[in-house]
Amino acid sequence: MEKTLRLLVIDDDDVDRMALRRSLQRSGLQFELHESNTPDAGVQLLVSELFDCAFLDYRFPTCDGLSLVSQLRESGVQTPLIVLTGQGSEETAVNLMKAGASDYLSKANLSGETLVRAIHSAIRVHRAECEAILANQKLRETNELLKQQNHELEHQREQIQQQNLQLTEVSRLKSEFLATMSHELRTPLNAIIGFSQILMRQLKNSGSDRQNDMLSRIFTNGQHLLDLINEILDLSKIESGRLDLRSESLNLEELIVTTVKSLQSLSEQKHLDLKIEIELQNPIIVNDCNRLRQILVNLLSNAIKFTDAGYVRVTAHDVTGDIIEIAVEDTGIGIEPQHIAHIFDAFHQVDQSVARSHQGTGLGLAITNLLLEMMKGKISVDSQIGQGSCFRLQIPRQI
Ligand code: ADP
């Protein structure tokens, strides 16, 4: 069923009001018409009550329709307003619409049909306007919310940046502390190692077996501790950016051969075959000799340490004119796939147990990786449990 419309007419002319009422009755609309014969009473009604549509006369003794429409809109009345005139010009119509009128009808042709069309169109436009206002308001609210969230994100970003700065500073202090401590520890440790060596030499023939055994333990444990301290020192130096590479021209083939030879005794103790295969166009490269040797020693001693039978092989060949690949391959215990991603992390060891059978610090590969980064090189590993591992490193001919 159609809704009964609440309509209001503000007109000081009784006859005009009656004419409107009659036309409305003839239109077939369901309505309830309220009447007001002065502008003031009409304004009061519109301010205090809700109407679906209001008709305003254009001419009152005290004011005209234009100022009445303006007054109503200024006081917040949103009801659709249709202005009824005797005879009006187009200019009047434009001004009325600008002031906020919904429509404009001439009293001369107030047929039921014209009224229905005008009322329905004014109500439709009014609804659309209300919806647009609501949508606009929601948009503003969402905008406001987004602005707020943006503000919070910005705040969080600043906090993270601040925390990052603090972390960098803490990390720098940690590296500095480690570097200082390692340095301080090395001096007394070198004395212990040196004096134990002198004593070993002096007591070689005169000392008891027990004395010699104790001295040899002091020496090897001291040496092990020194290795550990040196590795920590290296790591902290690299991390704090205080380690510089000293590039020099060197013979890579010679470096590989002498490094392998220095570890020969270790592989012989385990009856491992230690092989070298070098196929380089030119063995002369530019790199930091000591750091490259350190990398080779790390990889080779790991290969020997984690291999109980078979061989350890070092190969070197050209990948391109500028890149050389060195591989250290073993037939040892291998590394499980889930550990491979972490073996280059500092202090990561596959076997973390106290009772592990292989000694080590878990720093060798971390240092190797960082040194290679500094050399603009890279390292990768292939490994199969029980079959062996192959560490491949690629370095530029010239760093
Ligand atoms: P570590 O001092 O323990 O040798 P590294 O950083 O050199 O420390 O190596 C980290 C870990 O990676 C080792 O503890 C070992 O578990 C694994 N690993 C490294 N090289 C090999 C290898 N050739 N064969 C098997 N496991 C290896």
Side-chain angles (χ1 to χ4, degrees), residues 271-284:
H271 308 289
L272 299 175
D273 198 3
L274 203 48
K275 310 183 205 183
I276 304 174
E277 284 168 23
I278 297 175
E279 279 174 42
L280 289 172
Q281 297 281 341
N282 174 7
I284 307 299

Side-chain angles (χ1 to χ4, degrees), residues 310-326:
Y311 65 83
V312 170
R313 177 165 55 196
V314 189
T315 60
H317 68 269
D318 296 288
V319 178
T320 62
D322 295 331
I323 308 281
I324 289 173
E325 181 174 287
I326 304 172

